Amino acid sequence: MPLLTVANLEKAYCSPEGTQTRVVDVPHFELEAGSQTALKGSSGTGKTTFLNLIAGILHADSGQIVIDGEEMTGLSESGRDSLRASHIGYIFQTFNLLHGYTALENVVLGMMFGKGVDVEFAQHLLERVGLGDRMGYPPSQLSVGQQQRVAVARAIANRPRLVLADEPTGNLDYHRANEAIALVRAICHENNAALLTVSHDVGILEQFEETADFAHVNRA
Amino acid sequence: MSLLFIVRRSLRQHALSTLIAALSIALGTGLVMAVIGIKAQSVAAFTGGQIGFDAVLGARGSPLQLVLNTVFHLETSPGNIPWAMYQAMRDDPRVELAVPYALGDNYHGFRIVGTTRTLFTEFEYRDGVRFQTQGGGRFFNPARQEAVLGSYTADKLGLKVGDNFNPYHGLVFDESMRHDEQYTVVGVLKPTNSPSDRVIWIPIEGIYRMEGHVLRGSGEDYVAEPGREIPDEHKEVSAVMLKFRNPQIGFLMDATINKQGKAATLAWPIGAVMARLFDKIGWMNQILALVSYIVVVVAAGSILASVYNSINERRREFAILRSLGARRKTVFSVIVLEAASISAMGVVIGFIVYGVIFTAASAIVRAQTGIVLDLLSFHPAFIIAPVCVIILGAVAGVLPAVKAYRTDVAANL
Ligand SMILES: Nc1ncnc2c1ncn2[C@@H]1O[C@H](COP(=O)(O)OP(=O)(O)O)[C@@H](O)[C@H]1O
Ligand SMILES: [Mg+2]
């Protein structure tokens, strides 16, 4: 059985004019455990919405999302929160680090609502992403590349089976972007997490063996 | 690490508004505890057992005035009774101790009380404890112009053994009313933390012989002449302080003196007389309590405002926490906990506020009455008030918490 199965997923937004605009319409999508897939799509095509649906941050209008045998779409909101906490790591385009906390604390916060806090593992992850000497720094005192690596460490902190990455290299230059993708891929591999990356950046997609056009996945 | 970690961090991020809200809680809690604590201690001190006498016999009139005038050395004297009444009490086998007081003079506002040496040799102001002099002092010789000072009096007047002073006529200090008689301080009493600390004791004969004092014990005016004994029939006393052999006697005397007789008033039991006073001024305490409760409620409002204002700028933080798997009710709990923590900090500081208010109030009470209130004496309100205030703080967090609870994750990431 695949780690992630999406079937007949639909999501529409209410536009300011009051009409319903369908943003996501995915008849079928699958991801194997431990696999790494990149989806390419231009801006505004519903990639973020799609990932938010998988993460349970948004509730689907219809269809199924099954993660590791659990049906996200059938759960209550707090059930989706739990499933997200236990199964999913999320790397955001803007990283979404908490500014009042140090790098280490940000990673620890990634563990707090799931399988439990393991400070040693958090330290290990920061060392793994090359920030062993920056653990006590707040995000504001880290470079953009360093912030991205904290976000990567946090996404993996809870030992998720699935990591979602939304434009994970959004603000990095070409060279750093490639490094960053390599790191995300390596770290997911090391921790037995499947990786689903979405991006409009053709450059970084070259690194993935499995890539698809988001337009083929999403009919909307 | 737990939710408290998040709470602590965000309180530190909003340190100023947190501090202001906590201080206002501190003020409110401190006030509540002070109002309750001072009231309880005053009632205990003014109506409780640390008086040493059971009853006061004095001129026909208000028992409260009698008690205030003799036990607490406040208020004016309701008048005098003949010496014979004192003698009758002294010789009554049911009376354990009878001490006469003669009032009418002061020294710089401190009352001069004429009495007998029994006050020093037999009276116990607290169970088993008699007046004692400090340093090298002694009690007065009833035949001489000698004075024994309460500790507070000596302290405030700067008088010590060997010093001389002239009494002033009246209970209120008036510079033009100076008597010519000179008195010598022969002893200063050890502190008793009672109204006696604010008194100057002299022999009762001294009052009789003070120039200008007219005795009316026999119904006719009589002025003492130097070197000649004063006949008992002319003597009078302001009050007789009484200690009975058992409580029943007070009951009997109350019946004979107050209900059947018309010549005098027996203020008995002293505690009950004072309790009636506190009942009468109870409304004042209720107003103070009300004010302090209002301060607490306003302080809870400041917690609400402080936390509520921070919610908008923290929406992204809540959304991020939610994206990391925190539930809505976790975010809710963080905010309620935050409000309760501000309240708890305020309560801790509130004990300092209580200490300051109590110390100030007890200094006033001491200056006015000599009674020393005990800062550290326990009252259940010291537990109930903090608990209630912390709960109130948590309740104040509910509205902001609901707002945080409603934060939409996707819209705020
Ligand atoms: N909360 C929202 N309400 C209404 N429309 C939205 C909302 N969020 C996104 N959209 C619309 O949905 C479309 C897809 O958005 P998004 O998933 O962010 O695309 P992408 O990530 O591919 O750029 C866009 O046209 C956007 O305007
Ligand atoms: Mg997007």
Side-chain angles (χ1 to χ4, degrees):
Chain A
M1 195 173 72
L3 175 68
L4 169 69
T5 311
V6 175
N8 303 319
L9 187 67
E10 288 189 40
K11 177 74 183 173
Y13 284 123
C14 205
S15 72
E17 295 86 48
T19 55
Q20 293 277 319
T21 319
R22 187 175 295 166
V23 175
V24 170
D25 178 4
V26 178
H28 184 77
F29 181 78
E30 267 184 23
L31 208 62
E32 290 299 326
S35 70
Q36 303 198 335
T37 296
L39 298 177
K40 182 185 83 92
S42 46
S43 196
T45 53
K47 302 184 298 297
T48 298
T49 306
F50 183 53
L51 290 195
N52 280 346
L53 286 167
I54 294 171
I57 287 172
L58 286 175
H59 192 49
D61 296 338
S62 64
Q64 285 93 45
I65 299 167
V66 179
I67 297 168
D68 206 12
E70 283 207 63
E71 195 181 330
M72 180 69 92
T73 33
L75 293 172
S76 67
E77 189 182 49
S78 68
R80 299 204 304 272
D81 291 335
S82 294
L83 187 57
R84 173 165 69 254
S86 60
H87 281 74
I88 295 171
Y90 207 144
I91 303 168
F92 299 92
Q93 178 171 6
T94 51
F95 312 142
N96 281 335
L97 298 180
L98 285 159
H99 290 288
Y101 299 80
T102 65
L104 180 62
E105 286 165 349
N106 264 281
V107 177
V108 166
L109 279 170
M111 302 165 155
M112 214 144 109
F113 311 104
K115 293 173 185 135
V117 171
D118 178 351
V119 178
E120 263 176 48
F121 183 56
Q123 288 168 334
H124 161 79
L125 285 173
L126 281 173
E127 271 158 23
R128 172 67 187 83
V129 300
L131 293 175
D133 56 346
R134 291 287 186 278
M135 293 195 207
Y137 283 53
S140 57
Q141 289 174 28
L142 296 173
S143 73
V144 177
Q146 287 169 334
Q147 289 180 30
Q148 197 265 356
R149 281 182 274 159
V150 175
V152 171
R154 187 181 65 182
I156 210 80
N158 221 14
R159 304 177 192 271
R161 300 214 57 201
L162 173 63
V163 171
L164 305 173
D166 186 3
E167 314 270 8
T169 60
N171 300 321
L172 301 179
D173 60 52
Y174 178 76
H175 190 65
R176 299 239 179 266
N178 276 334
E179 272 179 18
I181 286 298
L183 179 66
V184 173
R185 294 191 61 193
I187 226 168
C188 285
H189 186 72
E190 287 160 20
N191 292 280
N192 301 315
L195 175 64
L196 176 59
T197 305
V198 298
S199 181
H200 66 274
D201 184 349
V202 187
I204 68 154
L205 299 172
E206 290 165 355
Q207 296 194 30
F208 286 85
E209 292 82 40
E210 248 180 276
T211 61
D213 205 332
F214 188 59
H216 294 315
V217 175
N218 186 13
R219 290 197 310 207
Chain B
M1 240 181 281
S2 65
L3 295 187
L4 277 178
F5 168 68
I6 299 174
V7 169
R8 226 172 44 216
R9 190 55 55 91
S10 81
L11 287 181
R12 211 189 300 160
Q13 273 173 348
H14 305 95
L16 185 66
S17 60
T18 297
L19 187 71
I20 292 169
L23 286 180
S24 56
I25 282 286
L27 184 66
T29 324
L31 272 174
V32 167
M33 293 192 295
V35 167
I36 295 174
I38 292 169
K39 152 105 195 270
Q41 280 228 38
S42 310
V43 170
F46 285 92
T47 67
Q50 305 231 335
I51 290 165
F53 292 111
D54 296 325
V56 187
L57 181 71
R60 196 75 181 161
S62 147
L64 178 60
Q65 190 185 2
L66 199 53
V67 169
L68 287 176
N69 189 44
T70 57
V71 177
F72 297 98
H73 306 289
L74 302 164
E75 276 277 339
T76 54
S77 168
N80 291 339
I81 52 174
W83 179 258
M85 282 194 180
Y86 159 63
Q87 283 175 312
M89 282 295 172
R90 185 189 60 193
D91 301 336
D92 192 321
R94 299 171 300 172
V95 174
E96 190 182 316
L97 180 66
V99 179
Y101 278 3
L103 307 167
D105 287 328
N106 80 92
Y107 181 66
H108 287 274
F110 288 93
R111 290 195 178 197
I112 295 174
V113 179
T115 188
T116 59
R117 273 182 65 104
T118 41
L119 183 78
F120 304 119
T121 56
E122 283 175 50
F123 171 59
E124 295 176 354
Y125 66 88
R126 213 189 307 145
D127 275 348
V129 190
R130 296 206 177 115
F131 288 131
Q132 285 174 291
T133 52
Q134 0 177 324
R138 60 175 173 82
F139 302 129
F140 57 64
N141 179 332
R144 295 207 201 130
Q145 292 183 359
E146 293 180 343
V148 173
L149 270 51
S151 59
Y152 187 82
T153 311
D155 214 37
K156 287 288 154 181
L157 294 174
L159 290 177
K160 53 189 189 308
V161 173
D163 288 346
N164 297 313
F165 67 93
N166 289 68
Y168 288 77
H169 190 69
L171 293 179
V172 181
F173 182 62
D174 176 348
E175 217 157 335
S176 67
M177 304 289 269
R178 188 169 179 269
H179 282 298
D180 287 334
E181 287 81 1
Q182 196 177 60
Y183 276 76
T184 306
V185 178
V186 295
V188 174
L189 299 178
K190 287 187 180 163
T192 62
N193 290 350
S194 76
S196 305
D197 290 348
R198 291 169 55 255
V199 173
I200 298 171
W201 307 100
I202 66 168
I204 198 160
E205 280 274 323
I207 297 280
Y208 298 153
R209 292 184 181 281
M210 208 77 75
E211 186 208 313
H213 282 193
V214 178
L215 299 176
R216 297 184 186 86
S218 62
E220 290 161 29
D221 288 4
Y222 176 87
V223 177
E225 289 165 42
R228 271 186 63 182
E229 208 168 304
I230 305 167
D232 280 351
E233 77 221 50
H234 292 298
K235 290 183 186 169
E236 50 183 359
V237 296
S238 304
V240 184
M241 312 303 289
L242 296 169
K243 193 160 170 56
F244 300 131
R245 296 215 183 268
N246 66 58
Q248 250 113 37
I249 295 156
F251 199 78
L252 287 172
M253 288 212 182
D254 179 43
T256 48
I257 298 171
N258 292 332
K259 307 220 166 77
Q260 293 152 30
K262 286 197 172 63
T265 291
L266 184 75
W268 172 88
I270 293 173
V273 171
M274 290 305 291
R276 255 174 271 144
L277 170 66
F278 278 95
D279 287 346
K280 267 186 229 162
I281 58 172
W283 61 271
M284 225 165 67
N285 198 72
Q286 279 169 9
I287 289 176
L288 286 176
L290 190 68
V291 168
S292 67
Y293 296 148
I294 290 172
V295 173
V296 169
V297 170
V298 170
S302 80
I303 292 186
L304 193 154
S306 153
V307 178
Y308 194 87
N309 284 338
S310 74
I311 300 294
N312 269 338
E313 67 189 64
R314 289 165 67 190
R315 280 196 180 150
R316 188 165 160 273
E317 178 187 333
F318 300 140
I320 293 171
L321 291 175
R322 294 286 314 280
S323 80
L324 296 175
R327 298 178 185 194
R328 273 190 201 274
K329 65 177 185 214
T330 308
V331 172
F332 184 91
S333 310
V334 165
I335 299 305
V336 170
L337 216 57
E338 215 172 290
S341 305
I342 297 176
S343 212
M345 282 189 295
V347 161
V348 171
I349 309 170
F351 279 98
I352 299 171
V353 174
Y354 163 74
V356 170
I357 298 175
F358 191 98
T359 306
S362 91
I364 295 170
V365 170
R366 180 164 184 226
Q368 297 291 319
T369 69
I371 287 174
V372 175
L373 304 179
D374 179 13
L375 174 68
L376 297 177
S377 107
F378 176 78
H379 191 282
F382 299 161
I383 291 179
I384 296 167
V387 169
C388 290
V389 170
I390 291 172
I391 291 172
L392 187 66
V395 170
V398 167
L399 189 65
V402 166
K403 197 177 172 193
Y405 180 92
R406 291 206 181 129
T407 304
D408 182 71
V409 184
N412 288 288
L413 279 175

